[in-house]
Amino acid sequence: MIHLHDLKTGDLVLAQFEEQLREGKVLQVDRELGQACVLTDQENWYEPAELFPIPLTTEQLVKLKFKKAEETTINGAAETYVRGPFSVTLHNGSDPRTILHYRDETRNIAGAIMVHELQNHYAGMTLFHLE
């Protein structure tokens, strides 16, 4: 489940419709009604209990047009992906964390993050939405 206050227009989420999870894009969030309109195969309004985060994986980063940086591996525990001047470093292993870097700003985030969280950090750091 995703809390509606964590969602913004354009965020990617998993929406549950007829017992199936489909990846979709948030088109609108109505906080008063407590629902979000998500475009999967078609537009539908969903309750927060029907919306789930997408884990940030290598595959998701590639879908978001990130490329693996050449100097990506640090003792096999970290990989860095770049999109223009923005970079994401995923640390795996005993101390999982995510490091986001854009120009002179760096954010160290404990644990793994989800795709919609990356999109919101990206927007906060670059002033552009990540799609």
Side-chain angles (χ1 to χ4, degrees):
M1 181 176 103
I2 299 178
H3 298 286
L4 287 181
H5 68 271
D6 292 337
L7 290 179
K8 293 181 175 48
T9 300
D11 284 352
L12 299 174
V13 296
L14 293 174
Q16 183 177 2
F17 184 73
E18 295 180 355
E19 304 301 319
Q20 290 186 344
L21 290 177
R22 293 191 173 109
E23 189 172 314
K25 181 178 179 180
V26 175
L27 299 178
Q28 184 179 352
V29 179
D30 188 330
R31 297 189 197 315
E32 287 182 24
L33 293 177
Q35 295 180 329
C37 181
V38 178
L39 174 64
T40 54
D41 298 330
Q42 60 185 17
E43 288 182 27
N44 282 314
W45 287 91
Y46 294 92
E47 302 285 329
E50 300 167 318
L51 298 173
F52 302 92
I54 300 170
L56 184 61
T57 61
T58 300
E59 294 79 21
Q60 289 296 327
L61 285 167
V62 169
K63 278 176 143 178
L64 292 168
K65 299 180 182 132
F66 279 85
K67 295 181 181 168
K68 193 171 187 178
E70 292 185 20
E71 307 118 21
T72 61
T73 307
I74 304 167
N75 297 329
E79 292 183 320
T80 300
Y81 295 84
V82 296
R83 179 175 170 170
F86 192 94
S87 68
V88 177
T89 303
L90 303 174
H91 287 268
N92 304 315
S94 62
D95 182 25
R97 65 187 188 278
T98 305
I99 298 173
L100 307 177
H101 183 77
Y102 177 70
R103 296 190 178 162
D104 62 344
E105 183 177 357
T106 300
R107 295 183 184 182
N108 287 299
I109 303 164
I113 64 172
M114 302 296 158
V115 171
H116 73 282
E117 293 171 318
L118 171 63
Q119 289 178 294
N120 294 333
H121 281 289
Y122 186 93
M125 295 169 81
T126 67
L127 304 179
F128 292 98
H129 193 73
L130 177 63
E131 294 191 48

